[in-house]
Amino acid sequence: MSRIDTSVNIAGVVLKNPVMTASGTFGSGEEYSEFVDLNKLGAVVTKGVANVPWPGNPTPRVAETSSGMLNAIGLQNPGMEVFIKRDIPFLKKFDTKIIVNVCGRSEEDYCQVVERLADEDVDLLEINISCPNVKEGGIAFGQDPKAVEHITSELKKRARQPIIMKLSPNVTDITVMAKAAEAGGADALSLINTLTGMKIDIHKRAFALANRTGGLSGPAIKPVAVRMVYQAANAVKLPVIGMGGIATAEDAIEFILAGATGVSVGTANFFNPTATEEVVSGIEAYMEKYGVDKITDLIGAVR
Amino acid sequence: MSRIDTSVNIAGVVLKNPVMTASGTFGSGEEYSEFVDLNKLGAVVTKGVANVPWPGNPTPRVAETSSGMLNAIGLQNPGMEVFIKRDIPFLKKFDTKIIVNVCGRSEEDYCQVVERLADEDVDLLEINISCPNVKEGGIAFGQDPKAVEHITSELKKRARQPIIMKLSPNVTDITVMAKAAEAGGADALSLINTLTGMKIDIHKRAFALANRTGGLSGPAIKPVAVRMVYQAANAVKLPVIGMGGIATAEDAIEFILAGATGVSVGTANFFNPTATEEVVSGIEAYMEKYGVDKITDLIGAVR
Amino acid sequence: MAEKFREDSEIISQECIGTDIYSMWLKTDKIARAAVPGQFISVYSRDGSRLLPRPISICETDKEKGALRIVYRIAGAGTREFSKYHRGIKLSILGPLGNGFPLERAGEGKKAFLIGGGIGIPPIVELSKQIGGVRQIIAGYRDEVFLAEELKQNGSLYIATEDGSCGTCGTVIDAIKENGLDADVIYACGPTPMLRALKSFAQERGIECWLSLEERMACGVGACLGCVCQSTEVDGHSHVHNKRVCKDGPVFLSTEVEL
Amino acid sequence: MAEKFREDSEIISQECIGTDIYSMWLKTDKIARAAVPGQFISVYSRDGSRLLPRPISICETDKEKGALRIVYRIAGAGTREFSKYHRGIKLSILGPLGNGFPLERAGEGKKAFLIGGGIGIPPIVELSKQIGGVRQIIAGYRDEVFLAEELKQNGSLYIATEDGSCGTCGTVIDAIKENGLDADVIYACGPTPMLRALKSFAQERGIECWLSLEERMACGVGACLGCVCQSTEVDGHSHVHNKRVCKDGPVFLSTEVEL
Ligand SMILES: Cc1cc2nc3c(=O)[nH]c(=O)nc-3n(C[C@H](O)[C@H](O)[C@H](O)COP(=O)(O)OP(=O)(O)OC[C@H]3O[C@@H](n4cnc5c(N)ncnc54)[C@H](O)[C@@H]3O)c2cc1C
Ligand SMILES: Cc1cc2nc3c(=O)[nH]c(=O)nc-3n(C[C@H](O)[C@H](O)[C@H](O)COP(=O)(O)OP(=O)(O)OC[C@H]3O[C@@H](n4cnc5c(N)ncnc54)[C@H](O)[C@@H]3O)c2cc1C
Ligand SMILES: Cc1cc2nc3c(=O)[nH]c(=O)nc-3n(C[C@H](O)[C@H](O)[C@H](O)COP(=O)(O)O)c2cc1C
Ligand SMILES: Cc1cc2nc3c(=O)[nH]c(=O)nc-3n(C[C@H](O)[C@H](O)[C@H](O)COP(=O)(O)O)c2cc1C
Ligand code: FES
Ligand code: FES
């Protein structure tokens, strides 16, 4: 298999393969390191990190749907100081890239995290702009192109690592958001975050999630994700990291053919703890089978 | 079961029960009348009808996804004259309401159909504003609130039957579209139409649909649909017809509890030809079990 | 219009009859008795993540036992699922669907070609049992031959293989030519390139030709317009140049359709 | 940290032991041998439309045979699916998960209450087999009694039923009072109202009390933060007032958590 080149370059950072973990589904890697050799992954993307600890939402926080799940974790996290002290050193033990997912309730929150991480040994920052934005009345940054461009350029000024803007799919036209992030100076894009959904328990006549709405993820959303990755990759020059329902190498290759340079495995970890590693080896097998030497030849090959 | 009242009122039209067929999944009723007693349904919603025959898209037009399917039929239809001569008389043989789904490529197209149907014996018109709009450069009417309000008011002027505006879910904020339709004078809303999606065949390295993108429907999209029905029903005073993944009575009741006055069964007909009738009897059984006398007591009961 | 039935049919037997090719007998209440050659059934998945039924041709029927046979190739997740089931399991099916081959176009004193290509061969088995007149069966394979025993019993069988491992090396048309066969009517089922070739072959020779088409389906009963083929003339139902493979077909007169 | 294993385990037997209540023995390679009482397994659905594993407590283990028993109630589509499976079918499971009951808090010279309520009774079976000291088992049911034979073998069993059809009419606390029981330590698993009552009961009497909590789960291994409960103090891992039921629990000291 040594003949095959699965490496990809995202904003100057070379990953040994395009396979990463989707933020929030893999903690900071520790729990799944019992099942997966983290050295085999292109990168580990951490759970969202804020400037201070966030308690998250009340429970129930998760519910199952057809081929999908809803979550309203509410971005619970221990805050950047604990993250830097505990989680970065853990991840540094492995030969994989570290991508820190950043969340905030205001522009200042995001800026603080990005500035604090400037001197830390992490490879890339992924900015989750679907976080609830208290100041702007609950509409996420990610749904307004002006806000996307503005926050991107503010963070770009402060960041020492390349920044990946993570786009929300709950928009009319994903290309508008992609271009806004590009105009703001983003180094890469990642998409999709979850689709907003709801479930009602008809026997209890109550919302299944305490938060009422939650984010839909898993195989159910894959067709929407592939479409948006295709549209975004064709609208901007930036590398795109695709995610949304990836559970197998076949799914990952579908995203790559649509234009993704990287791929993230999210919800699939919950139903197959070794999903990430299997995606890596499955991609290699596909390349072997079809005589593809460089994975970069597959990126955006269907158009 | 006679004690139970399942009737609902949509814009002055009383349906014996809230269960209808989703446009495009049930033809004009003939094919499924071999499996289902149309007299048992609240209403039959027809396939979209245009002013002239439409050939639709090239094949493949359908593809399967996890708990869902993509379609790009392209609104093939025989045009309003054939529809009026052949399909309305067929449907008139049954004791069910007739809802005609209307499509067009331009405002004039829609107006022509609505005017032509004015003197026909149909109960309600459902306006599909997710049709591709040639004049406005391919963006559907349904994604721009000004266009929604405008076309609604133009059609309202001409329609003799109450009009249901069918909203596209491919928008940032469904309440904006719902309010625009209300401002334009809509009598009711129906949602959701399909989410735009894509599938790629990784072995053929080609799009699964000739049209590249298609509309995602089926159980996969139910959480998004329930959320949007809940949001729309709480944003406007109009009755809302909910759809998106309804396959069982439990699904239908979930939409009703979220705020839907009517419910449509779409993709489920393809995997269970008797789905519509089963939803009707299952709703009755639920009402019996929980001692609900009037279905209207359930509408929007979870908030 | 022929009646359709939805049944929970029990698997009587299943066996693997070739590489990735399976043969299954199903006990049905009404479908087997109602079916005519060339019709198909919709087979529903038992896995809730796969919604759409898979259209599979009826290969044989046993009207007495009320049983029908399907022969299918593993093409993806749905057919792979079916291949794992064994005797006793219930499969939900809908049928018989589509129009079937017009048996009355052959018969006493007429010579017919019954042509199957690859996984289009199964429906030819029942057709060859029920059709009248002179039955010349031509079966085309890539390499591995299957269902030949069944076909041999109901007519003179000519085999073509792409790799030349059996019979004529080449296509079914090569087999016809090599054996100097002729006919008054053609019935065929197989991949589109084969059907396309047969369409022009029939046109050249002026032979009436009935082709069974394949298209991706959703409803299988004519309601969704997912499975259309292009028709030469404006179609009486659609009022455009489209015919529904599931309901107006799958069998069409070759001159009716564009391929 | 205890090791976790993902296995395709074979169903050895399954029987219905009450209305909608099933008992299943699974052959495992490593999980049964590694498990301690109070731990659970994640059971994966075989239907692709249901993604998330179902957490089910380990009811008994047979370390020699490498087998484990689960006892579960049909609560929805997932457990209904499991109830349909029979001997020989493989179920994918992950375990053992969670911390389990701290056996060392009981033992020689100490009296323990082992309390189960409803579908929280199963883990009490293995606990009662392994724990030392005086075992007073109190099992609370709505009406129908199950697993009583197993429980009787490992201690003195007191039953409470809500409808009074067996034992004390009322709750497990009513049963404790009616029988004038006391203990040095409490271990309990059951519905939240029962756990809440036990927490204050234990506080009043100054008894150490270990509670096994339930929460909706996604990953089952501590990664997703889906299953948290509120902790009295800021938690060392989360740095907020949240503990993960799947990883930090499901068993907590009653004073650690808010109910
Ligand atoms: C009228 C009719 C009769 C058929 N009879 C038989 C038969 O007797 N034996 C048999 O093995 N197959 C038959 N087929 C083809 C069969 O329906 C497909 O192979 C099957 O649906 C594939 O399902 P899957 O889930 O295994 O594969 P999928 O993963 O759905 O698809 C795998 C590949 O199969 C092809 N395919 C899928 N669905 C169809 C379809 N509806 N029509 C054509 N190609 C498709 C696609 O090109 C795709 O790349 C028939 C099809 C039709 C329309
Ligand atoms: C650590 C732990 C151990 C458990 N042990 C057992 C056991 O030994 N035997 C047993 O019968 N059940 C046990 N449960 C509960 C069991 O996990 C749920 O009943 C099951 O997941 C329901 O799945 P379903 O698909 O059948 O129902 P669903 O349709 O998913 O849900 C039906 C109802 O069950 C409840 N439920 C669903 N998932 C959970 C969950 N994770 N926790 C609590 N309630 C839930 C919900 O209130 C819902 O209304 C345990 C739960 C946990 C967290
Ligand atoms: C439980 C859960 C928690 C998540 N937390 C985060 C998060 O903290 N930050 C973020 O950007 N995305 C978060 N996501 C979104 C995922 O990273 C991913 O974008 C989405 O789930 C789609 O991928 P999937 O279908 O493979 O899960 C979360 C998703 C899930 C299911
Ligand atoms: C094959 C197919 C054809 C459709 N055609 C139409 C149409 O002509 N007009 C329309 O308004 N919606 C059309 N729809 C959308 C459905 O009416 C419905 O809004 C959508 O499928 C969601 O419901 P479901 O998940 O129950 O199918 C079509 C959907 C499908 C699957
Ligand atoms: S498959 Fe629906 S019309 Fe043929
Ligand atoms: S279920 Fe994921 S952290 Fe407990």
Side-chain angles (χ1 to χ4, degrees), chain B:
Chain B
M1 293 227 173
S2 57
R3 185 175 71 70
I4 281 180
D5 181 3
T6 56
S7 69
V8 295
N9 181 320
I10 294 181
V13 177
V14 176
L15 280 60
K16 66 174 71 142
N17 64 55
V19 182
M20 343 185 177
T21 61
S23 176
T25 66
F26 210 75
S28 287
E30 198 205 309
E31 292 80 9
Y32 282 107
S33 67
E34 292 187 54
F35 305 103
V36 172
D37 180 0
L38 301 187
N39 298 303
K40 296 243 172 93
L41 306 184
V44 170
V45 182
T46 70
K47 170 82 189 153
V49 178
N51 52 340
V52 294
W54 286 17
N57 287 327
T59 57
R61 290 179 170 187
V62 293
E64 194 178 60
T65 68
S66 278
S67 293
M69 64 172 283
L70 290 167
N71 91 80
I73 307 296
L75 295 165
Q76 178 186 328
N77 78 90
M80 61 186 179
E81 296 303 336
V82 172
F83 175 80
I84 288 168
K85 247 190 282 166
R86 180 183 64 192
D87 296 346
I88 296 183
F90 172 80
L91 285 170
K92 289 311 297 176
K93 295 190 284 183
F94 299 92
D95 174 25
T96 188
K97 299 296 171 188
I98 303 174
I99 305 183
V100 181
N101 183 280
V102 176
C103 62
R105 288 200 184 85
S106 65
E107 195 178 298
E108 300 87 89
D109 284 5
Y110 284 97
C111 289
Q112 270 189 39
V113 182
V114 165
E115 284 171 352
R116 179 68 182 82
L117 288 170
D119 296 324
E120 295 298 325
D121 201 359
V122 303
D123 298 289
L124 291 153
L125 304 180
E126 181 183 61
I127 315 297
N128 176 8
I129 47 175
S130 310
C131 307
N133 175 3
V134 176
K135 287 210 182 142
E136 317 235 344
I139 290 168
F141 291 105
Q143 294 177 307
D144 172 2
K146 280 198 223 75
V148 170
E149 180 173 345
H150 178 74
I151 193 162
T152 307
S153 62
E154 288 302 315
L155 295 177
K156 189 60 199 164
K157 279 183 216 156
R158 291 165 172 84
R160 275 270 271 282
Q161 295 89 353
I163 63 170
I164 306 161
M165 299 305 288
K166 181 161 179 183
L167 304 183
S168 162
N170 300 296
V171 297
T172 304
D173 186 347
I174 195 73
T175 65
V176 170
M177 303 300 150
K179 287 178 189 156
E182 184 175 50
D187 299 293
L189 302 178
S190 71
L191 63 153
I192 63 173
N193 212 314
T194 53
L195 286 165
T196 307
M198 177 182 279
K199 181 176 175 176
I200 290 174
D201 183 323
I202 67 162
H203 301 292
K204 300 182 184 154
R205 289 195 206 156
F207 299 103
L209 300 178
N211 190 53
R212 298 186 175 194
T213 60
L216 181 65
S217 63
I221 68 170
K222 196 182 71 169
V224 175
V226 171
R227 184 261 298 182
M228 288 192 170
V229 164
Y230 174 83
Q231 290 178 323
N234 284 288
V236 297
K237 298 206 171 58
L238 306 176
V240 169
I241 301 167
M243 72 200 78
I246 297 178
T248 64
E250 284 72 28
D251 298 331
I253 292 160
E254 196 176 346
F255 278 84
I256 293 169
L257 291 171
T261 301
V263 287
S264 298
V265 178
T267 300
N269 293 300
F270 304 160
F271 56 89
N272 178 11
T274 51
T276 44
E277 249 192 81
E278 289 169 26
V279 170
V280 173
S281 57
I283 290 176
E284 287 168 4
Y286 177 90
M287 291 173 67
E288 286 281 356
K289 178 172 171 193
Y290 288 103
V292 179
D293 298 331
K294 300 198 309 290
I295 198 159
T296 46
D297 291 343
L298 294 175
I299 300 170
V302 174
R303 51 179 81 234

Side-chain angles (χ1 to χ4, degrees), chain D residues 77-144:
Chain D
T79 44
R80 174 158 302 113
E81 180 197 325
F82 303 149
S83 73
K84 301 223 167 103
Y85 295 139
H86 47 73
R87 185 190 166 80
I89 286 193
K90 299 239 169 150
L91 275 189
S92 177
I93 62 175
L94 185 75
L97 302 176
N99 55 358
F101 289 107
L103 301 179
E104 71 284 1
R105 303 301 303 166
E108 206 56 42
K110 282 198 187 175
K111 286 160 82 175
F113 282 156
L114 315 182
I115 304 178
I119 206 63
I121 292 172
I124 303 302
V125 175
E126 187 64 27
L127 177 67
S128 69
K129 291 201 294 189
Q130 294 197 26
I131 207 155
V134 179
R135 293 171 280 204
Q136 305 170 90
I137 305 169
I138 304 118
Y141 303 88
R142 177 132 14 114
D143 38 32
E144 203 182 345

Side-chain angles (χ1 to χ4, degrees), chain A residues 65-67 170-172 196-200 202-203 205 207 212 219 223 227 230 254 286 290 292 302-303, chain B residues 65-67 170-172 196-200 202-203 205 207 212 219 223 227 230 254 286 290 302-303:
Chain A
T65 69
S66 279
S67 292
N170 300 294
V171 297
T172 304
T196 308
M198 177 183 280
K199 181 176 176 179
I200 290 175
I202 66 162
H203 301 293
R205 290 198 205 151
F207 299 103
R212 298 188 175 193
R227 183 261 296 183
Y230 174 82
E254 195 177 346
Y286 176 91
Y290 289 103
V292 179
V302 174
R303 52 180 80 233
Chain B
T65 68
S66 278
S67 293
N170 300 296
V171 297
T172 304
T196 307
M198 177 182 279
K199 181 176 175 176
I200 290 174
I202 67 162
H203 301 292
R205 289 195 206 156
F207 299 103
R212 298 186 175 194
R227 184 261 298 182
Y230 174 83
E254 196 176 346
Y286 177 90
Y290 288 103
V302 174
R303 51 179 81 234

Side-chain angles (χ1 to χ4, degrees), chain D residues 41-53:
Chain D
I41 58 172
S42 271
V43 185
Y44 295 90
S45 169
R46 289 162 56 97
D47 181 324
S49 70
R50 275 189 288 283
L51 301 183
L52 300 179

